[in-house]
Amino acid sequence: MDYLKSALPSQIMSERGSNLVVINPGSANIRIGLASQDTPFNIPHCIARHTKQVPKRNVIDQMLNNQVTTAQHMEREKAYDVIASLLKIPFLDEEAPSNSFPRKMGRVDGHNPHIIRKDLPFTWTNVYEEATNSSVSLETSSKDETGESLDPKEGTDSKEHNASDRKFKEFICGEEALRISPTELYCLCRPIRRGHLNISQHYSMQQVLDDLHTIWDWILIEKLHIPRNERNMYSAVLVMPETFDNREIKEILSLVLRELCFGSAVVHQEGLAAVFGNGLSTACIVNIGAQVTSLICIEDGGALPATGKTLPFGGEDISRGLLWTQRHHQTWPQIRTDVLTKPVDLLMLNQLKETYCEIKEGELDAVAVVHSYEDKVPAGSHKTRLTALNVPPMGLFYPTLLVPDVYPPPPRTWFHDYEDMLEDTWHIDFSRRSDMSDTFYPNVNGGLPMWESYPVFSTKPKKEEKVGLAEAITNCILSTGRIDIQRKLFCSIQLTGGVALTNGLVAAVEERVLHAIPPNEAIDTVEVLQSRTNPTFVSWKGGVILGVLDLGRDAWISREDWIHNGVHVGSNKKYKDSYYLQAQAMCYMNS
């Protein structure tokens, strides 16, 4: 502690963060970087592998996706009309006033500062590499991870070379994997889907783990420049989403320690890391990711597991809702846009959503350039007027608008593991709880392992998957059961994830949550705290702080221990919400 008080934060980061890799994996993107960096790399969490399978699938998950049913379509239309009444805009099938076009056009061009941007199309990825130099695959794949358009000639230059001197890249990672033409012999794989390892009848566990290893190894080599033979000198901080099950976390730990050869690793909860990333000690964390939204309450630097909830929708669902809205209003060009089998179309929709969508009352239109991507030919540009741009993000509160069932989570058949990697369920402190029977005391059940006898902790908290964001936040906070902490949490809501950057979302959350609180609750104030850093990276930053300031490293797992022993009862090799660690972080944040 004396060291933390005397050293400057920048000095601490440079001294202790140079050999610390912080990894925050997500369904759509992975945030990874050295603790000494200001911001992490934010890379699409996907890989495209060359395939000769017939018939070819562009995306390995496309067989899991469903069609919108008639009932879902009706529910979606009802949700649109409810949102329209709140936003004071015409209903779905209501004709707009005849004089509205000039008024909207004149008003919208200046409504959003993000509108001043380059409407450049994405270009197809060059899938060939020089046969004489295998490193070209990695060098080319590492370019253009920022989303900027490449030189339009890049895809055509390769055709000028003799075909005998070219061969397909074995794999392509990151954004370049999303920009491969559907006619190329590649299949896109996302190892994580809807907050879980993407294991299904089409995508085996071994394939998922192999793809994770390939992606992470590629990032470590090409982005962080950490060769395999030096990784034993590095430690990894895994900032894991609350959606992950215990067995999934163990598989990731094995991947990091055994396959990627890190010298040691530690696991932290994403929600807990978000609190530390913003210098707080108590908050209701609402992490709105690309495919799932997770909630958990943190009190005095400790997670409250019973408050955890997961909603099966996120930013990509808003993008799909944007496409449906425009098609219904016939403002979308007559082009073939398919976000489920053409990843580049989802890239384009995400860009349109981030640029033009916001939450505000009144009609919200914008003139935008939409691109069509067809079979290797250069992208076509279509200037059009997008309408009702404030409706899709409201789907967070009315999820039937988003129809997340179209893109369902992977089947959950084998993820059942009593041993909890994030909550120290066997710690002796639990034996003092009044709601536990005598069977919870250690060494009472004839020598049986303790986790055989604690059904209270054997499964994750119930997930409310059919409610909107406001109801989920309200239920999450009220489940704490104490009025003092409830009042504190309602005034300490923290939004994280990329969707948190949506204009108008903070005010909408405050208003909708206040209306969702039952009238018999003595709570009349709701406040969303302003994030001190980019909400997309706040959990990663919290992982940096927890890793750098964990001076004792009691919860760290060494490579040798994990390979030979794993984590077992009495090892104490897991993260504990210690007040000491919280005090370290508070000392750092207040210095």
Side-chain angles (χ1 to χ4, degrees):
M1 291 297 290
D2 293 337
Y3 166 74
L4 294 176
K5 291 178 180 178
S6 60
L8 295 174
S10 58
Q11 178 186 350
I12 297 173
M13 291 299 177
S14 63
E15 290 179 358
R16 298 183 57 83
S18 59
N19 67 338
L20 203 62
V21 178
V22 182
I23 306 172
N24 179 209
S27 300
N29 298 284
I30 176 172
R31 292 151 293 276
I32 181 171
L34 291 168
S36 54
Q37 296 176 210
D38 290 333
T39 56
F41 292 99
N42 191 30
I43 299 172
H45 208 181
C46 58
I47 181 173
R49 291 189 181 274
H50 186 245
T51 179
K52 295 181 180 178
Q53 183 179 3
V54 178
K56 183 183 79 74
R57 291 197 299 262
N58 295 337
V59 182
I60 202 168
D61 298 328
Q62 64 190 59
M63 302 301 293
L64 295 179
N65 297 326
N66 305 316
Q67 296 295 321
V68 179
T69 64
T70 302
Q72 288 173 327
H73 190 75
M74 294 176 63
E75 289 294 323
R76 171 179 262 182
E77 292 182 340
K78 289 179 183 177
Y80 184 104
D81 286 342
V82 171
I83 294 170
S85 65
L86 292 171
L87 298 177
K88 299 180 174 61
I89 61 176
F91 293 120
L92 190 60
D93 296 316
E94 181 182 347
E95 290 293 332
S98 59
N99 64 343
S100 64
F101 182 80
R103 176 181 63 82
K104 287 191 286 186
M105 289 291 288
R107 175 180 62 86
V108 168
D109 287 339
H111 89 275
N112 192 333
H114 294 220
I115 208 169
I116 305 173
R117 55 181 288 273
K118 298 180 294 183
D119 288 303
L120 297 176
F122 296 103
T123 56
W124 297 124
T125 295
N126 178 16
V127 298
Y128 297 99
E129 65 176 347
E130 296 290 344
T132 57
N133 188 356
S134 61
S135 66
V136 174
S137 171
L138 295 178
E139 291 171 359
T140 308
S141 299
S142 66
K143 296 177 183 177
D144 191 41
E145 292 294 347
T146 61
E148 295 294 329
S149 178
L150 295 180
D151 184 351
K153 296 180 182 179
E154 181 194 22
T156 59
D157 284 346
S158 62
K159 299 178 182 178
E160 300 173 4
H161 294 265
N162 191 319
S164 63
D165 295 334
R166 311 287 285 179
K167 68 175 182 178
F168 286 108
K169 298 174 184 175
E170 180 184 351
F171 65 87
I172 299 173
C173 298
E175 189 188 287
E176 282 208 334
L178 301 175
R179 295 190 286 102
I180 296 176
S181 171
T183 60
E184 301 287 5
L185 298 177
Y186 282 83
C187 181
L188 184 81
C189 304
R190 295 178 184 269
I192 301 178
R193 176 182 172 113
R194 295 289 189 195
H196 290 284
L197 294 183
N198 191 9
I199 297 167
S200 69
Q201 64 269 34
H202 309 291
Y203 200 12
S204 70
M205 179 180 75
Q206 189 59 50
Q207 284 179 292
V208 168
L209 296 175
D210 285 348
D211 285 346
L212 276 175
H213 173 260
T214 303
I215 296 169
W216 293 17
D217 190 59
W218 173 79
I219 294 172
L220 290 170
I221 293 173
E222 293 304 310
K223 300 298 182 182
L224 301 183
H225 309 293
I226 304 175
R228 185 180 180 89
N229 59 359
E230 294 180 7
R231 288 187 201 150
N232 62 317
M233 297 184 291
Y234 288 81
S235 298
V237 178
L238 287 168
V239 182
M240 301 300 293
E242 278 77 13
T243 55
F244 271 54
D245 294 322
N246 302 319
R247 182 173 175 183
E248 291 175 303
I249 296 174
K250 291 179 179 179
E251 296 292 349
I252 298 293
L253 258 177
S254 293
L255 169 70
V256 167
L257 292 173
R258 186 168 58 215
E259 310 301 332
L260 295 177
C261 301
F262 278 94
S264 61
V266 69
V267 179
H268 291 301
Q269 283 177 276
E270 191 173 52
L272 192 69
V275 167
F276 285 103
N278 259 336
L280 305 172
S281 61
T282 300
C284 175
I285 302 299
V286 183
N287 184 12
I288 313 174
Q291 296 179 10
V292 291
T293 298
S294 57
L295 303 87
I296 193 165
C297 292
I298 311 293
E299 180 187 9
D300 293 333
L304 305 178
T307 63
K309 301 186 186 301
T310 301
L311 307 177
F313 51 80
E316 290 185 357
D317 300 291
I318 297 175
S319 298
R320 292 190 299 107
L322 171 64
L323 177 62
W324 173 80
T325 302
Q326 303 313 312
R327 280 179 167 165
H328 191 94
H329 287 293
Q330 299 182 350
T331 59
W332 196 255
Q334 296 299 312
I335 58 177
R336 188 176 67 89
T337 305
D338 186 352
V339 297
L340 299 179
T341 62
K342 283 171 59 183
V344 70
D345 284 340
L346 183 59
L347 264 182
M348 174 190 63
L349 278 164
N350 283 337
Q351 191 178 72
L352 291 171
K353 172 200 67 181
E354 293 165 5
T355 304
Y356 298 111
C357 283
E358 62 177 288
I359 299 177
K360 63 187 296 186
E361 286 188 1
E363 298 177 49
L364 184 61
D365 296 12
V367 176
V369 177
V370 174
H371 298 107
S372 57
Y373 298 93
E374 299 293 341
D375 302 346
K376 287 190 177 180
V377 300
S381 298
H382 311 266
K383 193 172 185 178
T384 186
R385 176 181 61 90
L386 303 179
T387 189
L389 292 165
N390 46 356
V391 172
M394 285 293 289
L396 294 172
F397 305 101
Y398 300 93
T400 51
L401 178 82
L402 306 178
V403 195
D405 295 342
V406 173
Y407 190 74
R412 315 301 300 147
T413 54
W414 60 281
F415 296 100
H416 186 69
D417 192 338
Y418 288 105
E419 185 181 339
D420 199 323
M421 293 299 300
L422 291 178
E423 298 303 325
D424 198 359
T425 47
W426 59 59
H427 193 267
I428 195 170
D429 286 347
F430 279 116
S431 64
R432 304 191 189 103
R433 284 177 40 172
S434 59
D435 58 339
M436 283 189 178
S437 65
D438 290 340
T439 60
F440 285 97
Y441 283 86
N443 304 322
V444 171
N445 299 306
L448 291 176
M450 187 179 178
W451 62 78
E452 297 288 348
S453 63
Y454 65 85
V456 172
F457 303 108
S458 65
T459 57
K460 290 288 183 181
K462 181 180 177 182
K463 298 176 173 59
E464 299 184 50
E465 299 189 342
K466 299 299 181 184
V467 299
L469 185 61
E471 291 79 8
I473 294 174
T474 302
N475 295 338
C476 176
I477 295 176
L478 291 180
S479 67
T480 59
R482 292 165 27 216
I483 187 63
D484 58 331
I485 186 62
Q486 288 171 0
R487 287 176 174 168
K488 191 172 184 179
L489 289 170
F490 273 115
C491 292
S492 305
I493 299 172
Q494 182 179 335
L495 303 181
T496 65
V499 181
L501 295 169
T502 304
N503 287 339
L505 180 61
V506 169
V509 168
E510 291 176 342
E511 180 183 3
R512 303 307 306 164
V513 170
L514 188 59
H515 283 100
I517 299 174
N520 61 324
E521 298 289 344
I523 296 163
D524 56 6
T525 305
V526 173
E527 182 179 354
V528 175
L529 301 178
Q530 183 177 0
S531 181
R532 296 186 183 183
T533 185
N534 187 329
T536 308
F537 306 139
V538 67
S539 293
W540 180 87
K541 195 66 178 177
V544 170
I545 294 171
L546 288 169
V548 168
L549 300 183
D550 188 4
L551 301 178
R553 297 207 166 190
D554 293 333
W556 289 71
I557 306 166
S558 72
R559 184 170 188 266
E560 292 75 15
D561 284 347
W562 181 257
I563 291 175
H564 293 111
N565 304 315
V567 170
H568 52 85
V569 175
S571 68
N572 292 325
K573 292 293 185 180
K574 59 177 65 180
Y575 176 69
K576 285 180 248 184
D577 300 328
S578 71
Y579 287 92
Y580 177 68
L581 187 58
Q582 181 225 344
Q584 289 182 332
M586 291 306 104
C587 174
Y588 164 75
M589 293 305 300
N590 295 324
S591 61

